Amino acid sequence: MSAKTAAKPIKTASKEPSSLTKIYLFAYNAIQVGGWSYILYQLINYYVLEGPQFRAQVTLWDYTRLAVIIFQNAAFVEILNAVFGLVKSNPVVTTFQVFSRMMVVVGVVMATPTGKVSPGLPIALFAWSITEIIRYGFYALNIIKVVPKLVVFLRYTTFIALYPIGVTGELLCFWWAQRYARENSVWSLEMPNKLNATFSYYALLWIVMLGYIPIFPQLYMHMFTLRRKILGGDSKKKAN
């Protein structure tokens, strides 16, 4: 969703969303706040409240799996919202952001046993959960036009640390998964076969990993641009 338009009501000539659309968007964002709050609670409970004996019997993925699969994959709805114009997000940017996360959950952690025990998983879940609680809460409050300044500040400030932390966790998950994919031909297609084609999932993992190099800096700097606009960093330019 577009962070620029969500910070405060913008006076434009565009048609106001219908009441039904507002109810739907508010409900979706509120549910996501609840879901990611639960995942953050699980993360804290697993590492802080529970003891070593519990962690020896249950992996983090086994403990958080259901909630992560549901609420992360539910983000696919955001692509549809952007495509059908229910929100003012860029569909291309939204698609990349959603599928990069879904790739980690479905194509890395769920697909490989090594991805499930990667040290990147708790790092990614920590960054994702805090980011999403703030982001979805921001969107929900903006729909009812009640956005405290603190929430706006958190939305356009916490990303400075959380984005690199989250990307680090994601890449560590990819790294742990690619070793297993290379040795076991996970989701790969080798010759000969009826399709007369080959597909290397190991190569795909590396393509996605290398794709972070050109794409992440652009998204990261885009957030800094939005931060300057929303939090008043461009005030001096406007005064001149």
Side-chain angles (χ1 to χ4, degrees):
M1 296 182 180
S2 173
K4 181 178 179 180
T5 57
K8 55 184 179 181
I10 302 296
K11 295 181 180 180
T12 65
S14 61
K15 186 171 66 175
E16 183 78 6
S18 68
S19 298
L20 185 61
T21 298
K22 289 182 178 179
I23 293 173
Y24 156 70
L25 291 174
F26 179 83
Y28 169 77
N29 288 298
I31 290 172
Q32 284 284 34
V33 170
W36 284 101
S37 296
Y38 178 64
I39 293 172
L40 180 60
Y41 160 75
Q42 287 186 307
L43 196 61
I44 295 173
N45 186 60
Y46 186 82
Y47 284 107
V48 179
L49 303 181
E50 297 289 350
Q53 186 175 3
F54 175 80
R55 290 190 291 274
Q57 297 174 347
V58 181
T59 67
L60 175 63
W61 176 246
D62 288 335
Y63 188 56
T64 62
R65 173 177 56 194
L66 181 60
V68 173
I69 291 174
I70 291 175
F71 292 103
Q72 181 52 63
N73 290 338
F76 180 79
V77 173
E78 295 178 35
I79 300 176
L80 301 179
N81 291 341
V83 170
F84 291 109
L86 299 182
V87 296
K88 296 181 181 179
S89 306
N90 183 311
V92 176
V93 174
T94 302
T95 298
F96 172 79
Q97 292 174 330
V98 170
F99 270 102
S100 63
R101 294 267 199 92
M102 291 179 67
M103 180 68 180
V104 174
V105 173
V106 178
V108 172
V109 178
M110 293 178 65
T112 65
T114 49
K116 294 177 176 62
V117 296
S118 167
L121 181 59
I123 296 173
L125 290 182
F126 172 77
W128 291 358
S129 58
I130 296 179
T131 297
E132 300 300 51
I133 291 169
I134 296 172
R135 185 170 72 93
Y136 286 118
F138 177 85
Y139 294 151
L141 292 173
N142 186 69
I143 292 169
I144 59 176
K145 294 180 171 56
V146 181
V147 187
K149 291 183 179 179
L150 177 60
V151 175
V152 177
F153 176 79
L154 292 175
R155 172 69 180 106
Y156 293 101
T157 302
T158 54
F159 80 90
I160 296 173
L162 292 176
Y163 272 27
I165 291 173
V167 167
T168 299
E170 293 170 23
L171 289 176
L172 284 173
C173 288
F174 274 104
W175 178 255
W176 253 252
Q178 61 86 26
R179 300 189 313 187
Y180 182 86
R182 178 188 60 196
E183 297 170 357
N184 296 273
S185 299
V186 175
W187 291 359
S188 295
L189 186 64
E190 299 178 349
M191 294 285 285
N193 57 71
K194 295 181 179 180
L195 298 176
N196 196 31
T198 61
F199 172 74
S200 171
Y201 192 66
Y202 167 73
L204 177 62
L205 291 177
W206 269 102
I207 291 172
V208 176
M209 289 173 65
L210 293 175
Y212 275 72
I213 297 175
I215 296 176
F216 170 71
Q218 295 183 46
L219 295 177
Y220 193 48
M221 297 311 297
H222 175 66
M223 284 301 299
F224 275 103
T225 300
L226 293 179
R227 186 178 191 273
R228 288 193 296 270
K229 292 180 180 179
I230 299 301
L231 299 183
D234 290 342
S235 58
K236 293 183 179 179
K237 293 181 180 180
K238 294 177 181 179
N240 291 334

